[in-house]
Amino acid sequence: MSITPACPSESEPAPANSAAQAELARRMLYFMALMRETEDRIERKLYRQGKILGGVYVGRGQEAIPVGSALHSLPEDVLLPSHRDMAVFFIRGIPLGRIFAQYMGRVDGLTRGRDGNMHMGDMSAGLVAIISALAASVPVAAGVALALRYRGTNGIAFSYFGDGSTSRGDWHEGVNMATVLKLPVVYVCNNNQYAYSTPLSGQMACANVADRGPAYGMPAEIVDGNDVLAVYAATGRAVAHARAGHGPYLLECKTFRMTGHSAHDAAEYVPPALFEEWAKRDPILRLEQRMIENGWDDRAAIDAVHARVHQEVDAAVAWADERPFPDPATLSGQVYDGE
Amino acid sequence: MPTTYLEAIREGLWEEMERDPGVFLIGEDIGTYGGAFKVTAGFIEHFGERRVVDTPISEAGIVGAAIGAGLMGLRPVAEMQFADFITCGFDQIVNFAAKCRYRWGAAVPMVVRAPSGGGIHGGPFHSQNPEMWFVKTPGLKVVCPATAYDAKGLIKSAVRDNDPVIFFEHKALYRRIKEDLPAGDFTVPIGKARIARPGRDLTVVTYGAMVWVALDAAETLAAEGIEMEVVDLRTLLPLDRETVCESVKRTSKVLLLHEDTRTAGMAGELAATISESVFEYLDAPIVRVTAPDTPVPFSPPLEEAFLPNAAKVIDKARWLHRY
Ligand SMILES: Cc1ncc(C[n+]2csc(CCOP(=O)(O)OP(=O)(O)O)c2C)c(N)n1
């Protein structure tokens, strides 16, 4: 088993089907812009206005990872997103208004007000709710994949996590089990180089998360996580491997957390130069540039995508804000089946 | 200048580290960042990396390493970022640390600090009160301070204790509770409850953040002529049964209050203790005010309904008084 290093040229689209490429790029741009705008609204507006309480975690600067990967998911697949993968929810068809309702603690949120922020899921959309204990979802992904294979479907599990989560025992148990049982899992690591205040070097003694793949007998690839086309291309390889019954595949998407750990963290421990450097590699700007260079779309068309996203977010926030809070009388129901 | 609950824990840790070179801290983001709640801010600058050990996200690793170092005679203080994540180190605590002395006579002097409790809109994974998971485990000590004085005195006792201590610090008290603390070294004994407010008509037994709810309720009840005694357990394991029973003997009516969920909560053990020991002193049924048997919900109206509050205590206390 070897590690495939990041190879930007691989993501270059084949010019032959340029129309299809343009269409795919448009979808990518839409979902990335939607994630950016949604999270900006959550973190910079609604949270500051006190309409969202508790912890707020966003994936600003990491949008290419959930978008480039989840666009490969088929209806029968099941995804286990991390706390920085908002776009996965959009791609799986969760209405935007329900996501704002979730963050605002309203009945129409995916958890009906019982849980907050990105701690949400919907099995009918193939989405397992985030487990707050980091990496606890990795063994769960193995079980999901086991069930998909058991039932004879072609489905696979997408297991998402950050670099820091790979320090947990659950991660190692889940990955080892999936490799031993040759389960169809695609692991998508967003290596944003910090876990809360801890830089990667405080998390692991090896240089890359991908280095761990071969140790478990699993192919691993390092991907430019700020290049959505590269993420898409690499995920395509990983998905083909898993669907063909060859077992799990690890993608390490190198990126950077362009925020604090959460809305209350000013990230003073991150050298400002790193933010500046990574701002230049903004995945949305990079995709736009690529779209223009390749003649897939012009500036006006791109601006129209952003305008549409803005409107959709406005409408979703307005809708969510009108939704009621849960009735306290419902507090005790549905702890068990049939209540 | 009054000292906050958070500052009190900080001071206690700081003084213990100054006093005993074997005391060290281990946990996630506790160094330069100073911990998720900033309890250890400034420690690494003063005590250095040798004594303030930042770790990967590995709760089993943190607790296991603390146990190992404790077995070697050091005095580790491990920090969980949230008490909820103590589950990830559960096996090390309940299966190893708790049983070392009984099985093979080995001491594990270790403190696990665990920020717990609701009222901060944390939702099901950042609000739990997992104390009973540990109270069920012989060999551990479980401490839940309510005041800044007790927080400081108990963290110092915990560090000096020769057995593993799970130290629950209530997040909602961190910056809300403050008082003037005496200068110099003082400790609060583990295993001793205190009377937080004397009263002759009924007793409320509680701990942690609920002590403040009980005191609020007692204030209102006093205006109605009902004098409610507030017993603050401070330590859940070992349990100070004597202070509880003595209070019940004086008042003959008892209300048990905790933020934790109802079934198999601390109130159950207290009720059994009271009925075993002082049943003939009781003039009324033992009454409980607790959270319901659900996860801690996120949405503010749900969380408010979930958490016990002064109104709920007053209601039950009036009923008890009339009984
Ligand atoms: C078991 C556990 N320990 C600690 C935490 C607190 N915590 C939440 S997110 C986080 C950092 C996660 O880092 P990483 O996995 O790299 O993801 P990132 O936030 O960088 O995307 C920490 C320590 C937790 N949620 N679960």
Side-chain angles (χ1 to χ4, degrees), chain B residues 79-108:
Chain B
E79 176 175 300
M80 297 290 107
Q81 219 152 58
F82 282 83
D84 309 68
F85 305 134
I86 203 169
T87 46
C88 303
F90 194 67
D91 180 57
Q92 291 285 352
I93 297 173
V94 304
N95 274 333
F96 191 50
K99 296 172 177 49
C100 276
R101 185 178 296 284
Y102 188 79
R103 285 169 59 228
W104 54 299
V108 179

Side-chain angles (χ1 to χ4, degrees), chain A residues 279-298:
Chain A
K280 292 186 203 133
R281 297 187 226 171
D282 182 273
I284 297 180
L285 296 180
R286 275 172 75 183
L287 177 62
E288 290 176 356
Q289 206 177 344
R290 197 81 79 82
M291 291 170 79
I292 292 169
E293 276 168 19
N294 291 357
W296 293 338
D297 261 334
D298 59 13

Side-chain angles (χ1 to χ4, degrees), chain A residues 249-262:
Chain A
Y249 197 105
L250 170 62
L251 299 172
E252 176 185 6
C253 305
K254 303 263 196 203
T255 185
F256 199 75
R257 195 188 71 201
M258 294 301 289
T259 63
H261 167 64
S262 64

Side-chain angles (χ1 to χ4, degrees), chain A residues 62 83-84 132-134 162-165 168 190 192 194-196 257 261, chain B residues 28-29 57 59 81 85 88:
Chain A
Q62 303 183 195
H83 50 290
R84 304 205 196 273
S132 210
L134 296 161
D163 41 290
S165 302
R168 288 255 2 269
N190 77 75
N192 61 15
Y194 278 87
Y196 211 146
R257 195 188 71 201
H261 167 64
Chain B
E28 296 159 14
D29 305 291
I57 302 170
E59 283 75 9
Q81 219 152 58
F85 305 134
C88 303

